[in-house]
Amino acid sequence: MRFAALLTLSLSTLATFVAADDAQILRPPAVPLVTHDPYFSIWSCSDHPAEGWPQHWTGKVHALCSMIRVDGKTYRLMGMESREAEVAKLINCRVWPTRTIYTLEAGGVTVTLTFTSPLLPDDLELIGRPASYIAWSLKSTDGQIHDVDLYFDHTAELVVNEPKQNVDWSRAEAAGMDVMRMGTKDQPVLQRDGDDVRIDWGYSYLAVPAKQSAATLIAGAPVARESFVTAGRIAGSDDTTMPRPASQNWPVCAVAFDCGRVAGQPVEKWLILAYDDVYSIQYFEEKLRPWWRRDGADPAQMLTAAAQAYEDVTARCRRFDEQLTTDAGRIGGAKYADLCALAYRQAIAAHKLVAAPDGTPMLFSKENNSNGCIATVDVAYPASPIFMLLSNDLLKAMIEPVFRYAAMDRWPFPFAPHDLGRYPKAVGQRYGGGEKTEDRQMPVEECGNMVIMAAAVSQIDGNTQYVERFWPQLSQWAAYLKEKGLDPENQLCTDDFAGHLAHNANLSLKAIVALGAYAKVCKMAGRQAEADEYRRVAEEFAAEWPKLADDGDHYRLAFDAPGTWSQKYNLVWDELLNLNLFPTDIARREVAYYKTKLNEFGLPLDNRELYTKTDWEVWTATLAENREDFDALMEPVYAFVNKTPQRVPLTDWYWTQNAERRGFKARSVIGGVFIKMLSDPAAWENWSQRK
């Protein structure tokens, strides 16, 4: 298998980039803990996991609490309780693509606390299974033997949009496990949509394998936590005062492990934190099940499968993390590898994998911290490199609902839609003029995005089987670009933070490379006459573009705006898709000019403002012909990650002069940082074919 070549190559440089777990270079602005979808997404937003409560990506508390009791003294590992307990010393925090590993020290015992969200891209079962592993490894490091107990809980905040909502709880059945369940009393399934919202239907599950010899309790947080602090155990009957508001005495699902005598050999404990949302997405008239439920599986089966696979899955995650990080380091350097690791779970967990009524996988994004739209095309496009590299199945699943929508009679326009609604309701475009008018539509933008992504699907597959299903839509969008793409009219595009533009040079680039990409797909499909025609048009447009955009030592923001400039990140596809439409001098001239416009924390998006977009910066840096220029453009990005004062999941919109967040956080577009790996053809082929 071709992946063997990648493994051989990766092992040769493994020692350089991942020789030790403390090799993290970039400081995570926020640390991913439990990351599966836009609702089940929990982060630590401080340097020490016990300096604050973990949060949902929206910033609302989703409290996780962990403590350790060593020889009768209690220490805090995670969370703000118990306040009288001493905080364990943090030795290290290491963020890998699928795992976060904290190393802490308490009373002569080293604690390795690992959060694993096993989002392995070549395994849709794991991508779709909403179950994270939380594990503790304990070892004496002072030569003494210690009596040790461990504690963990989560509050009912995980199952409500607002803490005032009533919740109830119960015990659940799953083979070989002790399982606690929480959910809202009312269960308003798929009734709430929007941006700054959290799920208030479905159920959280905390499952502990029986072999772990743990005590469990559902009770108010003060009762459960203080009993552990004072006695090292939790005991008694489950609280029966329900339903009640999540904020009333903060009900928790709690676990206490008796770890016995801990010496030089590690003692391991672990559990599963999972969430069953019952139904995930409303797709027009259908309520769609999460992918793992498509064949009728229930939570007990899901938890049992996760428990039985623990050792195998965590080993696979370790291998995947090391191999991906190694290859990213070889291609872009150690800091670039860290950036990819920080981006990985954020990008995937901003999506939900569901089963269409006919069983086809569909991957719906949420436009986090923007407007809450679902399946936004100009969010899918910047996110797509992570899927192009690692899972063509997920790339297809991401564009599938858009193609299906565009094929419906209800979509009236000759261009691609912007979105399908507002998460989790994919019931028709919400943005701009919706399905009614062309007001605030993004025609050239979205047509180009869809054509480029469809071409990448075909290139990775080596055939056009997927896109043939939607050829009427694809050909219609290419025809639109042929008519409108070279010199776009005044219209909205994805970068119009500083205002709309006519004659947008970067938007024109997108249209031209999309036309070349369409010609390539036509040729693959045996449509030679159409391929020849669109190749001719793309070449003519590519020859005209430098004349329209030329501004001496660089190219303009808009064709009619001398003295301006902008990042021409869309040009990157000319090389990545082997289109060869533009002379290499264009990218070379732009990169040289960008180096003169760098600020301390990055390259501005264009001359109008000092802010930038993280994803586009990496695309622009990928235009560089050599590592020296790539590094020159990327070093300010790394400085931003290390110094941004906002402790939130990676933003993609920030100020280049002070590293302050301008807007956005936790968005899927951060998956675009993987684009540099696509510039290595061997790596792209090996990863995309990995099974």
Side-chain angles (χ1 to χ4, degrees):
M1 188 174 291
R2 281 179 284 186
F3 180 58
L6 171 65
L7 181 58
T8 301
L9 180 63
S10 296
L11 289 176
S12 68
T13 53
L14 182 61
T16 301
F17 297 106
V18 292
D21 281 0
D22 62 359
Q24 193 101 36
I25 299 172
L26 298 186
R27 177 215 63 170
V31 177
L33 301 176
V34 178
T35 49
H36 290 277
D37 60 52
Y39 287 137
F40 196 30
S41 180
I42 307 173
W43 300 71
S44 174
C45 298
S46 54
D47 289 329
H48 193 298
E51 288 178 352
W53 286 116
Q55 301 174 12
H56 185 258
W57 70 259
T58 57
K60 295 294 173 50
V61 171
H62 273 190
L64 308 179
C65 177
S66 184
M67 296 181 280
I68 186 171
R69 186 175 167 90
V70 180
D71 300 327
K73 182 177 179 179
T74 304
Y75 301 82
R76 292 205 325 257
L77 301 176
M78 172 163 284
M80 299 290 284
E81 296 289 353
S82 171
R83 298 301 178 100
E84 60 267 28
E86 184 177 330
V87 176
K89 180 182 179 181
L90 179 64
I91 306 300
N92 186 47
C93 173
R94 180 70 161 98
V95 176
W96 296 90
T98 68
R99 298 170 297 147
T100 290
I101 303 174
Y102 288 107
T103 305
L104 305 106
E105 192 278 329
V109 174
T110 295
V111 183
T112 303
L113 172 57
T114 303
F115 289 83
T116 303
S117 295
L119 303 177
L120 295 176
D122 58 344
D123 190 334
L124 294 192
E125 294 305 310
L126 286 177
I127 289 285
R129 181 187 295 162
S132 275
Y133 302 114
I134 306 174
W136 297 258
S137 178
L138 313 172
K139 183 179 179 181
S140 173
T141 53
D142 64 0
Q144 305 298 311
I145 298 175
H146 301 278
D147 290 315
V148 179
D149 301 282
L150 275 173
Y151 175 90
F152 176 83
D153 76 43
H154 76 77
T155 69
E157 290 162 302
L158 273 63
V159 303
V160 296
N161 180 52
E162 299 290 345
K164 64 184 179 182
Q165 290 180 272
N166 284 332
V167 298
D168 55 20
W169 49 85
S170 63
R171 297 282 174 157
E173 298 291 331
M177 282 185 284
D178 189 352
V179 183
M180 297 170 283
R181 184 180 87 156
M182 278 187 170
T184 55
K185 175 64 176 176
D186 293 337
Q187 288 296 302
V189 177
L190 292 171
Q191 291 183 22
R192 188 186 304 276
D193 65 6
D195 189 11
D196 186 14
V197 296
R198 289 137 300 278
I199 196 167
D200 57 3
W201 71 87
Y203 300 92
S204 68
Y205 288 86
L206 191 61
V208 188
K211 64 182 179 180
Q212 296 288 314
S213 302
T216 61
L217 180 68
I218 308 175
V223 171
R225 293 167 184 169
E226 291 309 311
S227 63
F228 180 81
V229 170
T230 57
R233 64 178 68 91
I234 54 177
S237 301
D238 289 346
D239 194 330
T240 58
T241 307
M242 61 177 174
R244 73 177 193 239
S247 58
Q248 184 179 324
N249 210 29
W250 299 109
V252 299
C253 294
V255 178
F257 298 99
D258 180 354
C259 302
R261 307 274 283 172
V262 173
Q265 292 299 313
V267 174
E268 311 281 347
K269 299 292 181 182
W270 61 274
L271 52 77
I272 298 169
L273 180 59
Y275 204 103
D276 172 25
D277 56 8
V278 185
Y279 288 97
S280 302
I281 299 292
Q282 182 179 341
Y283 188 64
F284 298 98
E285 303 305 319
E286 299 276 355
K287 292 182 178 179
L288 302 186
R289 293 284 195 182
W291 180 251
W292 66 271
R293 268 185 173 269
R294 69 194 182 284
D295 294 326
D298 60 27
Q301 292 169 313
M302 182 262 288
L303 292 169
T304 299
Q308 292 175 344
Y310 172 73
E311 291 186 1
D312 173 65
V313 168
T314 53
R316 288 170 61 192
C317 286
R318 285 194 298 272
R319 291 194 297 270
F320 172 80
D321 288 349
E322 291 176 354
Q323 291 160 5
L324 183 61
T325 302
T326 297
D327 230 34
R330 178 182 62 82
I331 292 167
K335 292 179 183 179
Y336 175 71
D338 265 6
L339 181 62
C340 289
L342 293 177
Y344 183 84
R345 273 172 284 169
Q346 174 176 322
I348 295 180
H351 299 82
K352 184 69 178 184
L353 184 64
V354 302
D358 62 4
T360 302
M362 295 205 295
L363 188 70
F364 287 91
S365 67
K366 179 175 182 179
E367 194 170 338
N368 289 344
N369 199 225
S370 177
N371 59 15
C373 279
I374 187 169
T376 303
V377 175
D378 57 289
V379 166
Y381 173 67
S384 64
I386 190 173
F387 301 123
M388 291 180 186
L389 177 72
L390 298 172
S391 176
N392 208 25
D393 288 340
L394 290 175
L395 180 59
K396 294 172 189 174
M398 183 171 63
I399 60 178
E400 178 82 17
V402 180
F403 269 127
R404 291 192 182 200
Y405 175 45
M408 295 179 182
D409 290 339
R410 62 184 295 159
W411 181 249
F413 302 115
F415 48 80
H418 169 273
D419 64 82
L420 269 69
R422 193 165 69 172
Y423 196 93
K425 297 186 178 184
V427 294
Q429 180 168 309
R430 183 71 172 261
Y431 192 78
E435 299 173 349
K436 296 180 180 179
T437 74
E438 296 192 22
D439 179 53
R440 299 185 71 226
Q441 301 278 6
M442 302 171 68
V444 171
E445 184 81 49
E446 309 302 21
C447 287
N449 292 341
M450 289 298 293
V451 172
I452 290 168
M453 288 189 288
V457 164
S458 301
Q459 177 168 301
I460 296 165
D461 274 348
N463 61 67
T464 59
Q465 182 177 344
Y466 177 81
V467 298
E468 290 278 0
R469 295 170 49 218
F470 302 107
W471 199 269
Q473 288 70 48
L474 201 65
S475 62
Q476 183 180 52
W477 298 337
Y480 187 91
L481 294 174
K482 179 181 177 182
E483 179 183 356
K484 302 282 191 178
L486 173 60
D487 191 3
E489 300 163 346
N490 193 346
Q491 61 188 260
L492 184 64
C493 85
T494 197
D495 296 330
D496 281 353
F497 307 108
H500 298 186
L501 283 172
H503 321 298
N504 186 322
N506 187 47
L507 187 58
S508 175
L509 279 175
K510 177 177 290 185
I512 296 168
V513 295
L515 288 167
Y518 180 70
K520 180 176 180 176
V521 174
C522 288
K523 184 175 182 178
M524 292 176 66
R527 301 169 184 262
Q528 192 60 51
E530 197 173 3
D532 292 343
E533 170 64 12
Y534 275 89
R535 180 68 192 186
R536 179 189 63 78
V537 171
E539 289 178 350
E540 289 178 357
F541 285 4
E544 187 68 17
W545 187 91
K547 303 173 188 175
L548 294 171
D550 184 58
D551 208 52
D553 60 352
H554 68 282
Y555 297 92
R556 300 173 180 178
L557 166 66
F559 296 147
D560 61 345
T564 62
W565 65 274
S566 65
Q567 293 189 40
K568 306 302 190 302
Y569 57 82
N570 286 313
L571 182 59
V572 73
W573 297 110
D574 191 43
E575 178 182 353
L576 297 184
L577 295 179
N578 299 310
L579 302 177
N580 301 311
L581 291 166
F582 293 91
T584 57
D585 179 66
I586 291 179
R588 186 180 302 125
R589 188 192 304 188
E590 282 290 282
V591 168
Y593 188 77
Y594 298 149
K595 289 166 65 177
T596 72
K597 295 298 180 181
L598 286 170
N599 290 327
E600 182 178 0
F601 298 106
L603 176 69
L605 192 59
D606 58 49
N607 59 272
R608 293 176 293 177
E609 291 282 359
L610 293 177
Y611 50 60
T612 194
K613 292 281 271 81
T614 317
D615 45 347
W616 299 147
E617 287 183 287
V618 186
W619 290 39
T620 295
T622 302
L623 293 172
E625 293 179 293
N626 55 66
R627 268 290 301 280
E628 181 181 359
D629 284 345
F630 176 80
D631 290 345
L633 294 176
M634 288 299 297
E635 281 298 330
V637 181
Y638 305 141
F640 152 73
V641 174
N642 274 331
K643 295 185 180 181
T644 181
Q646 282 79 36
R647 307 307 298 271
V648 299
L650 282 168
T651 181
D652 58 289
W653 188 19
Y654 70 90
W655 295 101
T656 60
Q657 80 277 25
N658 59 16
E660 293 269 355
R661 180 171 71 104
R662 172 63 180 83
F664 304 156
K665 59 183 175 180
R667 300 209 312 163
S668 64
V669 303
I670 209 67
V673 305
F674 283 84
I675 199 164
K676 175 62 176 175
M677 296 189 70
L678 302 183
S679 70
D680 185 309
W684 188 359
E685 181 179 9
N686 280 318
W687 280 105
S688 65
Q689 302 301 322
R690 184 177 187 256
K691 299 295 182 183

